[in-house]
């Protein structure tokens, strides 16, 4: 194992895929000479040359479509869209073409494409540079959407995405790039469509993904340490397909759930999770499902306003306190005493 | 622009190139190939007429756009390409599919929504596709095919392959963002692609001049420092020659280029368009300059096709179309149960396709 | 001859109007000729001929609207055939189908209405509970599994909702360790509360060396819980009286002697049940139930009677006992007992009771006390009838005497009322012809 940053994990995975498979190539704005606006692709142009690492002009629809066309002929492009805010310019090629070509043409033409893009806010980049639009793509049949929250998952999931024969939206997060974590050195893969229980607990479940999953884990660990509450954390890792089984099993166990998401609450990712839980775990619910999300407004620039608008650990803790059951079920390993009712 | 400026001046209005169309057939032309062009044009004509009828008989659903009047453009385009070149088109593609070699039965069955259709009934009129014959679709979004075609050319350049990509589109497409983005990308990456604009003068009802700041569409290519030509879409040999030239440029020099073929739509935009926005006289005149008639006359003048021979070819085409309809009628619809049981496989490609790519 | 049909001219078109014929019968038609103008939902379009020949017959007149696919004209070779155009009829199938459909729907509704009225009073209580008490789905499920009346609990969840915590509190207090919901437990960490499975065992403890654990069926567990609850939560008090059953027994003999071939014999129990029912008419407080902290007097008198069956104890209910004749009661009771013994009682046979009778008279029992059957507020325990000497006009006479004991919920019923109720039951049984009719 090695401790690496999320950024390093992505870089290494890209490099290893470029080495492993001649069909893989990268394209996107400023990924070559500029070494990537977030330096994910640093050094790759020098190592692999302009044929494998392609700088594009500012034409999201054009170069995403170009990647789709290349994938139709068997190449395996990895497109970088500088931030998810610009993905809207490529909606036709992603939703109308990439997602539909395999089905529409009777299964004759797979589209093995990966679109990497970071979402999220918190850097005072204001309304059009701070969004979380992944739910739009999670809605579309024909696409797959993944969202790793740790360096290990980033590496394993990127590999799996490149090797999948379908278009995959690979969601990163600006604030995750510098996060460090342990990652195995070998050629492991994280399967698409599998969530992970990153912390076991008994009193309630927090379901999350991407940066918020990391925040949730941190909060849950602190609460456990302070001996206050036993929170289980489910990191979705994949938004489409969704790992329904893991989510449902967790809430069947704890009976209370919070969805913690950076996107907007209405019609967001949490809406699907809440619907799923009431469908499949209705008789195990001890309380309505809570959704903790960012305020539904275009994100303001000014720092105090931005902090108030974006959701975070403070809002999660508030929600946990509201939802926590009166009688705590402590997860004791082997001891037989009752937890004191609080 | 280039050495074809004389032709371009003459080709300013498609109709005025009637003289061009009546030019004698050059000696070096191969008779078999010429008769084949004639046959293909008639096949497309009969097929499209039959499609219109089948739509009215509610065998074909949704939208249906016909190549009636554009046969010379369709056949010339195909004739200018090599059989292993890749073709991307818009949604007015039945003729192009047939000219590329898709069996008429498979095309009609697709229009009928049958399981034996070229896309197994999943696509319909606007989404024909044949991997083997490198007919890469059939796209319903105006301009959707341009970045895709450009990407296919990118893959060919990436592989240093010898094939090229030909991307057909309508006149309205030249105003979309995708058009400009694609031409720009093709030029900066030096891609082996031919952009083929079929200018039938109308979007749906919007005349070209009203939608386009520059209505001589071939001129738009200069913004991308790209070579371009305008040809009479009614002259199958002229179209073929232009495409051949552009294809050679793409294949040998990896230079993208653009061809504008000025043509004429016999009917409305689609089978449900009563075509009330065109001047009836204009329509009559256009229909009178039937490219099939014009070519048949040229062939007859050159002594290459007599009445008897022509009738034989005409009948053969009709039989082929009738057989296609029968095939489509007799074919089963896709099984709903099978479909429901295999939804995942319908939407997502499996893990190992075992394909290197086309 | 070829048919010319109404074409489909747009993706949304369902029918078209034949606006104007441009050809008439007898005209020569070539392929591509425009035969007529068709008005569609979007525009007026041309009807093109796909066949050649002579227009033989026009079947749809100008101004008529027909669905796509319908034949509008005939083309053939040969002379025109003049025929009056048949008027297009709308497909008859639809009209009658609609009619039948509505009739069926209407016919269906009255029985539904009746059913709901009838069942309202009977199961109203059940449904009322579910609607009036706020509880989380999990809490409801746990309450069901443990046989807890939600009305007994006070909810501490949001909005006063009963939540799992409240169920667990209650169970702890009751002494039953909380049963884990029977779900797959994927975690490794064990719960510290000793787990009990909801079935089949009631309490878990290691058996003493010289004993073996008595297995309890689910039904038995449920009954056990209910009885324990009844005794714990209802303040019982008891009043006994001795009833002279001599006249009743005599009347019964007469009754059964004249019973015909249907063979239903009236039992003493049937007569006692009828007597209770009539008494309940006069003392409606005894015909009450207790739910959610509230006593309810019921309009219908549904007397249940305990039946001993292999799987435990059941109390089937005879509805509207007060207005049924003794023979009807006898018939119904016999059926219910048979069903009970065959374990075929439906829930409707067991629901809605407002008063219960427990009869041990067939065993040699001098008297006994029964446990009230919640949510009811009273139960009458019947002991054996024995011959005894009683003074009549200062002379010893042998009479058949039977001790009965009423257990009553002291929250609602006080001593004097109970005594008076018992007096009425005694009065009816001692002049039993008042039971008839």
């Amino acid at each position: 194992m090695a401790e690496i940053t999320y950024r390093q994990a992505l870089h290494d995975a890209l490099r290893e895929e470029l080495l492993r498979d001649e069909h893989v190539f990268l394209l996107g704005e400023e990924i070559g000479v500029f070494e990537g606006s977030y330096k994910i692709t640093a050094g790759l142009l020098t190592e692999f040359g302009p044929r494998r690492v392609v700088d594009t002009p500012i034409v999201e629809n054009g170069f995403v479509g170009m990647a789709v066309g290349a994938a139709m002929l068997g190449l395996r492009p990895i497109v970088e869209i500088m931030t998810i805010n610009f993905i809207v310019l490529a909606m036709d090629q992603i939703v109308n073409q990439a997602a539909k070509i395999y089905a529409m043409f009777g299964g004759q033409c797979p589209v093995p494409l990966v679109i990497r893009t970071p979402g999220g806010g918190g850097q005072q980049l204001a309304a059009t540079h701070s969004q979380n639009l992944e739910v739009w793509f999670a809605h579309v049949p024909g696409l797959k959407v993944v969202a790793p929250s740790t360096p290990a998952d980033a590496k394993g999931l990127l590999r799996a995405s490149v090797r999948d024969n379908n278009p995959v939206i690979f969601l990163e997060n600006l604030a995750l790039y510098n996060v460090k974590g342990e990652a195995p050195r070998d050629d492991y893969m994280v399967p698409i469509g599998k969530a992970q229980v990153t912390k076991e607990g008994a009193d309630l479940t927090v379901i999350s993904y991407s940066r918020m999953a990391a925040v949730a884990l941190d909060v849950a660990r602190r609460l456990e340490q302070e001996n206050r509450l036993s929170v289980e954390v489910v990191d979705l890792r994949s938004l489409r397909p969704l790992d329904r089984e893991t989510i449902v099993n967790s809430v069947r166990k704890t009976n209370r759930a919070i969805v913690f998401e950076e996107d907007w609450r209405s019609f967001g990712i949490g809406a699907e999770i809440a619907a799923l839980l009431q469908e499949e775990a209705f008789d195990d619910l001890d309380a309505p499902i809570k959704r903790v999300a960012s305020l539904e407004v275009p994100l303001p620039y000014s720092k105090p306003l931005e902090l108030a608008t974006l959701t975070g650990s403070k809002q999660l803790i508030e929600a946990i306190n509201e939802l926590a059951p009166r009688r705590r079920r402590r997860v004791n390993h082997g001891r037989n005493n009752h937890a004191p009712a609080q | 622009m280039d050495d074809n400026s004389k032709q371009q001046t003459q080709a300013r209005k498609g109709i005025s190139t009637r003289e061009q169309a009546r030019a004698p057939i050059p000696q070096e032309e191969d008779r078999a190939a010429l008769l084949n062009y004639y046959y293909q044009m008639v096949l497309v004509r009969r097929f499209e007429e039959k499609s219109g009828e089948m739509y009215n008989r509610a065998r074909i659903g949704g939208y249906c756009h016909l190549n009636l009047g554009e046969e010379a453009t369709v056949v010339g385009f195909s004739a200018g390409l090599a059989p292993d070149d890749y073709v991307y088109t818009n949604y007015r593609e039945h003729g192009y599919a047939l000219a590329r070699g898709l069996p008429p039965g498979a095309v009609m069955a697709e229009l009928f929504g049958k399981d034996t259709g070229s896309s197994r009934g999943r696509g319909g009129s606007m989404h024909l596709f044949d991997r083997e014959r490198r007919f890469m679709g059939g796209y319903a979004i105006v301009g959707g095919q341009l970045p895709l075609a450009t990407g296919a050319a990118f893959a060919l350049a990436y592989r240093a392959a010898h094939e090229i990509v030909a991307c057909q589109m309508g006149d309205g497409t030249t105003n979309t963002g995708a058009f400009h983005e694609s031409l720009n990308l093709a030029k900066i990456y030096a891609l082996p692609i031919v952009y083929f604009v079929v200018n039938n003068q109308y979007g749906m009802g919007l005349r070209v001049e009203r939608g386009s700041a520059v209505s001589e569409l071939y001129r738009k290519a200069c913004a991308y420092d790209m070579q371009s030509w305008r040809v009479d879409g009614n002259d199958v040999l002229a179209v073929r020659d232009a495409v051949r030239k552009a294809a050679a440029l793409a294949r040998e020099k990896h230079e993208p280029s653009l061809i504008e073929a000025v043509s004429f739509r016999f009917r409305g935009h689609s089978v449900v368009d009563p075509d009330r926005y065109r001047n009836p006289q204009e329509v009559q005149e256009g229909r009178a300059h039937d490219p099939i008639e014009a070519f048949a006359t040229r062939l007859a003048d050159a002594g290459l096709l007599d009445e008897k021979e022509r009738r034989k070819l005409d009948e053969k085409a009709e039989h082929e179309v009738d057989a296609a309809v029968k095939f489509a009628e007799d074919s089963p619809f896709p099984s709903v149960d099978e479909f429901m049981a295999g939804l995942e496989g319908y939407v997502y490609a499996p893990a190992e396709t075992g394909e290197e790519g086309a | 001859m070829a048919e010319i049909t109404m074409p489909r001219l747009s993706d949304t078109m369902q029918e078209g109007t034949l606006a104007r014929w441009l050809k008439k019968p007898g005209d020569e038609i070539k392929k591509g000729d425009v035969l007529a103008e068709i008005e569609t939902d979007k525009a007026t379009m041309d009807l093109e001929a796909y066949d050649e020949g002579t227009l033989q017959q026009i079947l749809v007149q100008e101004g008529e609207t027909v669905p796509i696919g319908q034949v509008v004209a005939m083309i053939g070779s040969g002379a025109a055939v003049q025929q009056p155009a048949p008027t297009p009829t709308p497909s008859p199938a639809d009209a009658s189908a609609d009619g039948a459909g509505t009739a069926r729907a209407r016919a269906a509704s009255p029985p539904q209405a009746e059913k709901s009225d009838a069942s309202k009073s009977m199961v109203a209580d059940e449904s009322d509970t579910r609607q009036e008490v706020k509880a989380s789905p999990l809490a409801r499920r746990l309450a069901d599994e443990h046989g807890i009346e939600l009305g007994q609990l006070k909810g501490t969840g949001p909005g006063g909702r009963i939540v799992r915590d409240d169920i667990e509190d209650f169970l702890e207090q009751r002494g039953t360790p909380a049963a884990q919901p029977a779900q797959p437990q994927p975690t490794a960490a064990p719960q510290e509360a000793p787990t009990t499975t909801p079935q089949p065992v009631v309490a878990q403890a290691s058996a003493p060396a010289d004993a073996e654990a008595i297995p309890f069926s689910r039904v038995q567990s449920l009954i056990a819980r209910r009885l324990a609850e009844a005794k714990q939560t209802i303040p019982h008090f008891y009043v006994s009286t001795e009833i002279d059953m001599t006249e009743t027994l005599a009347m019964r003999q007469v009754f059964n002697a004249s019973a015909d071939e249907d063979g239903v014999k009236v039992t003493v129990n049937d007569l006692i049940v009828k007597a209770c029912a009539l008494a309940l008419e006069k003392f409606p407080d005894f015909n009450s139930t207790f739910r959610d902290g509230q006593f309810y007097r019921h309009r219908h008198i549904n007397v249940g009677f305990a039946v001993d069956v292999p799987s435990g104890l059941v109390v089937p209910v005879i509805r509207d006992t007060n207005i049924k004749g003794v023979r009807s009661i006898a018939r119904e009771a016999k059926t219910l007992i048979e069903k009970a013994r065959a374990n075929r009682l439906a829930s409707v046979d067991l629901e809605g009771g407002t008063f219960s009778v427990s009869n041990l008279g067939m065993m040699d029992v001098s008297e006994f006390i029964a446990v009230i059957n919640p949510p009811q507020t009273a139960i009458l325990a019947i002991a054996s009838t024995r011959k005894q000497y009683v003074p009549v006009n200062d002379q010893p006479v042998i009479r058949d005497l039977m001790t009965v004991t009423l257990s009553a919920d002291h929250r609602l019923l006080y001593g004097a009322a109970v005594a008076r109720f018992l007096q009425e039951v005694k009065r009816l049984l001692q002049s039993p012809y008042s039971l008839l009719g």
Side-chain angles (χ1 to χ4, degrees):
Chain A
M1 291 275 253
E3 211 197 42
I4 53 173
T5 61
Y6 193 98
R7 173 186 290 107
Q8 190 65 42
L10 294 172
H11 175 276
D12 292 350
L14 290 173
R15 185 169 171 276
E16 284 157 26
E17 292 304 296
L18 283 165
L19 284 170
R20 185 186 63 86
D21 185 353
E22 255 288 296
H23 297 92
V24 173
F25 71 102
L26 313 183
L27 69 164
E29 292 163 16
E30 312 301 348
I31 61 168
V33 173
F34 195 79
E35 304 217 293
S37 56
Y38 296 101
K39 303 293 179 243
I40 310 295
T41 51
L44 294 179
L45 174 63
T46 314
E47 188 176 347
F48 294 96
R51 178 171 164 269
R52 310 288 301 285
V53 180
V54 180
D55 273 324
T56 67
I58 305 173
V59 280
E60 277 77 9
N61 198 49
F63 69 73
V64 170
M66 202 172 83
V68 178
M72 287 173 82
L73 259 63
L75 295 189
R76 306 189 83 91
I78 306 174
V79 179
E80 178 179 300
I81 292 198
M82 202 181 276
T83 77
I84 202 173
N85 304 280
F86 313 144
I87 210 169
V88 296
L89 292 132
M91 287 307 269
D92 178 57
Q93 289 299 328
I94 296 173
V95 174
N96 286 329
Q97 318 300 342
K100 311 256 187 300
I101 281 173
Y102 183 72
M104 238 174 17
F105 296 137
Q108 296 179 66
C109 196
V111 178
L113 166 71
V114 176
I115 299 177
R116 294 177 37 241
T117 186
Q123 298 78 25
Q124 285 191 271
L125 299 177
T128 66
H129 277 56
S130 310
Q131 295 172 101
N132 302 274
L133 306 173
E134 53 277 1
V135 68
W136 293 351
F137 304 99
H139 185 59
V140 178
L143 296 179
K144 298 192 180 182
V145 182
V146 299
S149 74
T150 63
D153 284 347
K155 209 170 186 193
L157 263 179
L158 186 51
R159 285 198 190 111
S161 304
V162 173
R163 298 175 207 197
D164 196 299
N165 288 326
N166 295 283
V168 179
I169 310 281
F170 187 92
L171 180 72
E172 302 165 0
N173 188 289
L174 296 177
L176 277 179
Y177 284 150
N178 291 322
V179 160
K180 286 209 172 107
E182 294 270 310
R185 291 181 200 274
D186 62 337
D187 188 29
Y188 70 99
M189 291 218 280
V190 172
I192 296 178
K194 283 299 293 168
Q196 191 174 59
V197 177
T198 50
K199 179 188 171 298
E200 282 179 10
D203 289 321
L204 60 88
T205 301
V206 174
I207 299 159
S208 191
Y209 65 97
S210 195
R211 183 169 80 88
M212 294 298 127
V215 173
L217 183 58
D218 185 53
V219 166
R221 284 193 176 138
R222 265 190 288 140
L223 289 174
E224 183 90 42
Q225 248 179 6
E226 293 165 11
N227 221 9
R228 285 172 39 204
L229 204 57
S230 164
V231 172
E232 177 149 304
V233 179
V234 175
D235 181 355
L236 292 174
R237 302 200 298 187
S238 264
L239 300 178
R240 188 177 188 104
L242 204 57
D243 185 352
R244 299 168 80 97
E245 205 183 313
T246 301
I247 298 167
V248 170
N249 280 344
S250 174
V251 179
R252 281 218 178 112
K253 185 178 77 163
T254 66
N255 312 117
R256 286 161 186 249
I258 295 175
V259 182
F260 182 49
E261 50 186 319
E262 196 181 321
D263 64 351
W264 299 303
R265 200 158 166 272
S266 303
F267 303 94
I269 296 281
E272 170 66 25
I273 311 265
L276 155 68
L277 284 171
Q278 67 86 26
E279 275 164 18
E280 301 198 17
F282 184 75
D283 292 303
D284 296 290
L285 291 174
D286 200 32
I289 299 147
K290 268 195 189 303
R291 288 177 290 165
V292 177
S294 295
L295 219 55
E296 259 169 73
V297 297
L299 191 72
Y301 158 77
S302 173
K303 196 63 191 174
L305 295 184
E306 187 187 62
L307 277 174
T309 305
L310 282 178
T311 190
S313 54
K314 175 163 153 293
Q315 288 83 348
L316 178 60
I317 292 173
E318 257 170 44
I320 289 177
N321 285 332
E322 277 170 31
L323 187 68
R326 199 177 13 93
R327 297 167 61 108
R328 307 292 158 85
R329 289 152 122 188
R330 290 253 229 82
V331 177
N332 284 316
H333 303 274
R335 283 183 290 146
N336 250 351
N337 41 320
H338 285 256
Q342 281 166 37
Chain B
M1 194 72 37
D2 71 334
D3 49 81
N4 274 351
S5 49
K6 213 182 0 187
Q7 184 192 346
Q8 300 212 30
T9 328
Q10 284 178 332
R12 199 127 298 180
K13 279 180 165 177
I15 293 175
S16 70
T17 59
R18 257 173 293 151
E19 300 93 68
Q20 193 84 9
R22 293 231 177 94
I25 309 264
Q27 281 296 337
E28 58 272 17
E29 293 285 353
D30 174 52
R31 180 171 183 262
L34 293 174
L35 291 185
N36 190 33
Y37 298 159
Y38 174 77
Y39 177 72
Q40 281 191 53
M41 286 166 67
V42 177
L43 180 67
V44 172
R45 172 68 58 90
R46 294 288 162 262
F47 188 95
E48 293 294 73
E49 284 171 347
K50 192 56 87 169
S51 296
E53 182 189 336
M54 287 300 122
Y55 188 90
N56 287 343
R57 291 195 196 278
R59 293 294 189 281
I60 300 176
Y63 289 149
C64 193
H65 308 86
L66 305 176
N67 289 127
L68 293 171
E70 298 179 339
E71 295 82 0
T73 306
V74 171
V75 174
F77 168 83
S78 245
L81 301 171
D84 57 358
D85 288 336
Y86 293 83
V87 170
Y88 283 78
T89 68
N90 62 3
Y91 46 76
R92 192 184 296 284
E93 88 245 41
H94 306 167
Y96 295 93
L98 293 173
R100 268 330 255 173
L102 270 76
V107 179
M108 191 61 79
E110 185 61 33
L111 302 188
F112 277 34
K114 300 295 180 86
D115 206 35
T116 51
S118 51
S119 297
R120 294 197 64 206
R122 272 63 163 164
S125 165
M126 300 189 286
H127 302 296
L128 304 175
F129 191 98
D130 189 322
R131 190 76 205 228
E132 246 184 71
R133 294 180 173 90
R134 301 188 169 184
F135 186 81
M136 306 299 282
Y139 292 88
I141 306 283
V142 172
Q145 76 275 27
L146 262 74
L148 298 174
T150 310
F154 185 95
L156 293 171
Y158 186 91
R159 287 207 182 101
H162 68 274
E163 304 98 311
I164 64 151
V165 179
C167 180
Q168 175 267 5
M169 73 194 83
D171 38 270
T173 311
T174 64
N175 298 322
T176 67
F179 174 81
H180 296 282
E181 295 185 5
S182 301
L183 265 64
N184 188 51
L185 289 171
K187 185 69 184 189
I188 64 175
Y189 297 132
L191 299 183
I193 185 166
V194 175
Y195 294 103
F196 188 78
V197 179
V198 179
N199 182 0
N200 57 23
Q201 313 290 340
Y202 291 85
M204 286 171 57
L206 191 71
R207 267 204 71 92
V208 159
E209 306 84 60
R210 294 188 59 205
S212 227
V214 172
S215 53
E216 289 161 327
L217 305 176
Y218 73 96
R219 287 173 57 199
K220 296 190 188 190
C222 77
Y224 307 101
D225 198 23
M226 207 184 275
Q227 288 199 50
S228 64
W229 304 269
R230 197 181 219 210
V231 294
D232 175 9
N234 274 355
D235 180 346
V236 60
L237 298 180
V239 173
R240 179 202 61 181
D241 291 342
V243 173
R244 266 192 189 151
K245 187 149 67 165
L249 206 59
R251 208 183 304 278
E252 287 149 31
K253 303 231 175 75
H254 274 205
E255 249 200 66
S257 60
L258 180 137
I259 297 170
E260 178 192 359
V262 181
S263 81
F264 181 79
R265 228 175 52 195
F266 271 12
R267 295 194 191 170
H269 173 70
S270 74
V271 297
V272 306
D273 174 15
D275 197 17
R276 302 262 184 263
Y277 42 83
R278 288 199 291 186
N279 185 331
Q281 185 153 27
E282 179 192 336
V283 176
Q284 249 184 8
E285 269 181 40
R287 288 192 190 171
H289 300 117
D290 189 332
I292 295 181
E293 286 306 320
F295 193 58
T297 307
R298 284 173 81 188
L299 290 175
D301 289 349
L304 297 168
L305 181 70
D306 63 25
E307 267 306 306
K308 208 169 75 159
E309 185 83 59
R310 186 181 172 183
R311 229 193 327 267
K312 248 178 59 185
L313 290 173
D314 286 352
E315 274 169 21
K316 181 163 175 249
E318 275 194 46
H319 284 147
E320 212 179 333
V321 171
D322 286 340
V325 172
K326 181 165 192 328
F327 174 77
E329 278 282 12
D330 292 345
S331 289
F333 278 103
S335 150
V336 174
D337 289 336
E338 257 177 57
F339 177 75
M340 294 303 237
L343 287 179
E344 176 80 12
Y346 164 60
V347 178
Y348 292 104
E352 280 348 333
T353 53
E355 276 206 23
E356 256 281 321
Chain C
M1 282 263 265
E3 289 178 346
I4 300 181
T5 56
M6 175 62 70
R8 196 257 296 272
L9 297 167
S10 93
D11 47 330
T12 48
M13 178 183 174
Q14 309 270 11
E15 57 186 19
T17 306
L18 203 122
R20 195 157 69 98
W21 280 107
L22 300 170
K23 303 275 182 196
K24 49 186 199 308
D27 285 351
E28 277 304 308
I29 308 291
K30 284 197 320 301
K31 224 169 38 153
D33 282 353
V34 180
L35 303 172
E37 277 174 8
I38 310 280
E39 237 172 67
T40 71
D41 54 339
K42 288 187 179 150
T44 305
M45 315 263 291
D46 295 334
L47 174 62
E48 251 183 63
Y50 291 116
D51 305 286
E52 307 200 319
T54 315
L55 182 60
Q56 300 271 317
Q57 227 184 37
I58 286 184
L59 298 171
V60 170
Q61 302 305 317
E62 287 182 1
E64 271 186 69
T65 303
V66 299
I68 58 176
Q70 183 158 327
V71 182
V72 302
M74 303 293 286
I75 271 190
S77 48
V81 176
Q82 292 291 359
Q83 264 180 23
T87 39
T89 45
S91 51
D94 305 304
S96 57
D98 279 340
T102 11
R104 249 179 276 122
R106 255 184 263 121
S109 31
Q112 295 280 15
E114 270 170 31
K115 185 166 177 238
S116 57
D117 277 338
S119 57
K120 232 193 326 192
S121 58
M122 277 172 264
V123 297
D125 310 318
E126 291 294 327
S127 52
D128 284 352
T129 311
R130 294 207 83 73
Q131 273 149 27
E132 281 164 23
V133 181
K134 268 176 54 169
S136 76
L138 176 63
R140 283 190 196 284
R141 184 161 66 76
L142 291 173
D144 270 343
E145 280 175 15
H146 291 267
I148 300 173
E149 278 295 327
L150 281 174
Q152 304 173 302
L153 304 174
K154 185 167 159 14
T156 61
R161 196 180 282 137
I162 297 172
V163 286
R164 187 192 67 211
D165 289 336
D166 304 313
I167 303 280
E168 287 180 354
D169 280 350
F170 179 84
L171 290 171
E172 221 173 51
Q173 195 191 89
R174 204 166 78 172
T176 320
Q180 288 312 310
Q183 294 295 341
Q185 301 275 340
T187 56
Q191 298 297 130
E192 69 277 351
T195 54
T196 53
T197 48
Q199 77 237 24
V201 186
V202 165
Q204 181 91 326
S206 52
D210 65 343
E212 63 180 40
I214 301 171
F216 255 49
S217 71
R218 194 183 167 77
V219 173
Q220 282 174 308
S221 299
L222 219 58
I223 294 171
R225 278 195 208 108
R226 289 176 67 86
L227 288 171
E229 247 172 71
K231 270 282 157 151
Q232 281 172 353
T233 61
I234 302 175
H236 282 63
F237 80 105
Y238 318 99
V239 180
S240 305
T241 192
E242 234 175 18
I243 303 179
D244 186 337
M245 291 293 281
T246 318
E247 302 295 319
T248 299
L249 293 173
M251 185 193 86
R252 180 175 146 254
Q253 266 196 317
V254 169
F255 220 68
N256 289 339
S258 66
D260 42 24
E261 301 77 50
D262 74 28
V264 175
K265 298 232 187 307
V266 174
T267 65
V268 174
N269 201 57
D270 299 326
L271 296 167
I272 294 172
V273 162
K274 182 71 195 270
C276 289
L278 292 175
L280 288 169
E281 278 181 354
K282 293 206 172 121
F283 293 87
D285 275 354
F286 288 76
N287 196 52
S288 302
T289 58
F290 178 75
R291 278 180 208 282
D292 311 335
Q294 181 67 44
F295 285 96
Y296 295 92
R297 240 178 264 128
H298 290 263
R299 284 186 280 274
H300 293 263
I301 297 175
N302 308 321
V303 179
F305 58 100
V307 179
D308 195 28
V309 291
S311 60
L313 192 67
V314 288
V315 187
V317 174
I318 298 176
R319 291 188 177 343
D320 293 314
T321 326
N322 55 320
I323 57 178
K324 286 180 176 155
V326 290
R327 248 201 242 288
S328 305
I329 291 172
R331 214 171 287 129
E332 233 184 283
K334 184 158 181 265
T335 311
L336 287 169
I337 293 170
E338 274 165 14
K339 275 168 95 173
R341 298 230 167 98
N343 206 16
R344 281 190 304 113
L345 283 172
S347 38
V348 68
D349 297 323
L350 296 165
E351 281 168 4
T354 55
F355 183 88
S356 297
V357 171
S358 182
N359 194 342
L360 284 178
M362 63 298 280
M363 324 272 169
D364 179 20
V365 167
S366 56
E367 70 180 297
F368 79 104
I369 291 167
V371 180
I372 294 173
N373 189 15
Q376 295 168 22
T377 53
I379 184 168
L380 189 66
I382 315 288
S384 312
T385 310
R386 276 132 39 116
K387 293 199 183 296
Q388 290 195 14
Y389 280 106
V390 294
V392 174
N393 296 331
D394 294 333
Q395 293 301 314
V397 177
I398 289 185
R399 309 287 288 183
D400 297 292
L401 298 183
M402 175 181 84
T403 304
V404 302
T405 309
L406 187 86
S407 311
D409 185 334
H410 212 336
R411 295 173 295 186
L412 178 70
L413 306 168
Y414 301 150
V418 174
R420 281 194 279 270
F421 175 77
L422 280 178
Q423 290 302 317
E424 179 61 18
V425 174
K426 182 167 173 168
R427 187 186 71 77
L428 289 163
L429 285 169
Q430 291 185 169
S431 35
Y433 288 93
S434 54
L435 295 175
L436 304 175

